[in-house]
Amino acid sequence: MAEDSDVLYGIHSVREALLNPRRRHRRLLATENALQRLAEGITLPLAPEIVKPEAINRLLPADAVHQGAWLETERLPYLRPERLPQDRIIVALDQVTDPHNVGAILRSAAAFGVGALLTTFRHSPELSGVLAKAASGALEHVPIAGVTNLGRALTELRAAGYQVIGLDSEAPEPMHALVPRLPLVLVLGAEGRGLRQSTRALCDHLARLDLPGAIRSLNVSNAAAIALYAVTQGLARGG
């Protein structure tokens, strides 16, 4: 397999990739039942290989739920940081490494019309496989901007006029009380330890989610969805 290839599996991930005109595909394996779902209402951009589920099982980890669909496709290019949109929210990840969490964050980002996901080349999961399956097709709808140093990128974005809001469970300000404005970057910290101190220092605001129940903190992907809703509502009020 070529080094610039991604492997995607699962009906939603594969179908959304097949519908993405920016993708160039190399190989599609599908069971007969999966092919019917993949091809419903569309013209497939490449000829599929009809296989038994066992053939796909051999290409993936034992716990991968592929639903009879497997795709080798050319990797999407990263968005250059200087081309980040200014008219939509940008989500930045500070060493969020769990592919399930990043995939779920991407799914929420797609639902809220996020302009891009900003992440580092290191300390981040591969943009395929488990992550793509968790994103359920959202990988095709949210551009990914990659940087070597998140701190440097946030510094440059602040200089360009972006408001930088860091999500922190111990922050002094509640998220709902902020007055967000575009252009805006919402920064999410790593599982467990949250934002690094160096990242916190680069935020214009540190904000918390006020949770009335017994549990005072959330998984980063759940927190991302709630924070995106709060920021979106704040922007609507400001507009």
Side-chain angles (χ1 to χ4, degrees), residues 13 99-100 102-108 110 130-139:
S13 298
H100 295 94
V102 177
I105 290 168
L106 270 170
R107 192 171 183 180
S108 294
V130 174
L131 184 154
K133 182 67 166 60
S136 194
L139 188 59

Side-chain angles (χ1 to χ4, degrees), residues 213-237:
I215 302 299
R216 306 300 303 191
S217 63
L218 295 171
N219 173 285
V220 64
S221 61
N222 293 329
I226 297 171
L228 282 170
Y229 177 79
V231 172
T232 300
Q233 292 298 301
L235 290 171
R237 290 194 300 270

Side-chain angles (χ1 to χ4, degrees), residues 159-194:
Y162 284 78
Q163 182 186 42
V164 179
I165 299 174
L167 187 63
D168 190 315
S169 61
E170 302 299 323
E173 296 181 88
M175 183 67 76
H176 68 265
L178 294 185
V179 182
R181 58 162 179 79
L182 294 172
L184 183 150
V185 182
L186 176 65
V187 191
L188 307 174
E191 301 90 348
R193 61 190 178 92

Side-chain angles (χ1 to χ4, degrees), residues 27-32 48-56 68 70:
R27 190 182 184 197
L28 173 62
L29 306 183
T31 63
E32 290 186 3
E49 301 173 42
I50 308 300
V51 298
K52 299 294 185 182
E54 294 75 20
I56 300 177
W70 181 98

Side-chain angles (χ1 to χ4, degrees), residues 2-235:
E3 289 186 359
D4 64 343
S5 286
D6 281 338
V7 168
L8 309 178
Y9 56 85
I11 296 295
H12 292 298
S13 298
V14 171
R15 181 176 165 87
E16 289 300 314
L18 293 172
L19 287 168
N20 187 350
R22 297 182 296 130
R23 288 273 196 188
R24 298 181 64 177
H25 309 295
R26 292 174 173 155
R27 190 182 184 197
L28 173 62
L29 306 183
T31 63
E32 290 186 3
N33 288 338
L35 184 60
Q36 291 181 7
R37 296 176 64 186
L38 291 174
E40 185 176 355
I42 67 172
T43 300
L44 294 176
L46 77 167
E49 301 173 42
I50 308 300
V51 298
K52 299 294 185 182
E54 294 75 20
I56 300 177
N57 290 343
R58 289 192 289 270
L59 298 174
L60 294 171
D63 59 349
V65 181
H66 56 73
Q67 301 172 293
W70 181 98
L71 177 68
E72 180 187 351
T73 183
E74 189 173 298
R75 186 165 301 148
L76 289 171
Y78 281 98
L79 179 70
R80 296 178 65 86
E82 61 268 23
R83 299 189 63 185
L84 288 170
Q86 296 196 358
D87 60 346
R88 289 189 286 169
I89 300 167
I90 306 301
V91 171
L93 302 183
D94 184 17
Q95 299 190 353
V96 180
T97 57
D98 186 299
H100 295 94
N101 280 337
V102 177
I105 290 168
L106 270 170
R107 192 171 183 180
S108 294
F112 283 98
V114 164
L117 187 77
L118 177 65
T119 186
T120 53
F121 296 119
R122 296 181 61 195
H123 304 295
S124 61
E126 291 186 4
L127 301 175
S128 63
V130 174
L131 184 154
K133 182 67 166 60
S136 194
L139 188 59
E140 312 304 319
H141 299 286
V142 182
I144 309 296
V147 296
T148 302
N149 185 292
L150 181 62
R152 186 180 306 122
L154 292 177
T155 299
E156 292 172 355
L157 289 171
R158 288 182 71 187
Y162 284 78
Q163 182 186 42
V164 179
I165 299 174
L167 187 63
D168 190 315
S169 61
E170 302 299 323
E173 296 181 88
M175 183 67 76
H176 68 265
L178 294 185
V179 182
R181 58 162 179 79
L182 294 172
L184 183 150
V185 182
L186 176 65
V187 191
L188 307 174
E191 301 90 348
R193 61 190 178 92
L195 297 174
R196 290 175 294 165
Q197 185 58 41
S198 58
T199 304
R200 292 164 58 94
L202 292 171
C203 295
D204 297 305
H205 299 277
L206 292 171
R208 68 179 188 273
L209 298 175
D210 279 339
L211 304 173
I215 302 299
R216 306 300 303 191
S217 63
L218 295 171
N219 173 285
V220 64
S221 61
N222 293 329
I226 297 171
L228 282 170
Y229 177 79
V231 172
T232 300
Q233 292 298 301
L235 290 171

